[in-house]
Amino acid sequence: MNEKKLNEIIVKIFGAKQEDINDSMSPETIPNWDSMNYLLFISDVEKEFGIQFTVDEVMEAKTLGDIKGYMIKKGIHL
């Protein structure tokens, strides 16, 4: 269920196709993954899941898998 919610945010913010979503997605593979959309994505994830990423986590994450890893460490089951 949580992964479905996360994927819905990815589709909404980045315009990615549901079937294309994978952990290796990054700014290099998603044309709409720019700094503004990334911050909107982070904000939506924080609101939806009731978590807060640190500045370091936001800056160090390079792929969707990195973000998911931080979410799991914060107790979100994906």
Side-chain angles (χ1 to χ4, degrees):
M1 187 67 170
N2 285 335
E3 190 154 18
K4 184 175 186 244
K5 288 181 189 176
L6 180 61
N7 288 353
E8 288 171 0
I9 295 170
I10 294 165
V11 168
K12 179 180 88 172
I13 299 291
F14 298 124
K17 293 179 183 173
Q18 186 79 29
E19 60 271 14
D20 294 338
I21 296 173
N22 63 68
D23 287 354
S24 65
M25 292 177 94
S26 70
E28 287 77 36
T29 62
I30 303 176
N32 291 334
W33 186 325
D34 58 22
S35 57
M36 187 65 191
N37 281 341
Y38 179 59
L39 292 178
L40 290 171
F41 169 69
I42 292 295
S43 176
D44 278 10
V45 169
E46 289 178 332
K47 286 181 208 164
E48 179 67 39
F49 295 98
I51 58 176
Q52 186 75 44
F53 293 107
T54 67
V55 173
D56 286 345
E57 289 170 338
V58 172
M59 299 303 290
E60 289 173 7
K62 302 295 181 217
T63 66
L64 180 57
D66 293 340
I67 296 293
K68 289 169 110 177
Y70 292 135
M71 292 174 71
I72 291 166
K73 286 181 184 176
K74 296 176 185 303
I76 305 299
H77 300 286
L78 297 173

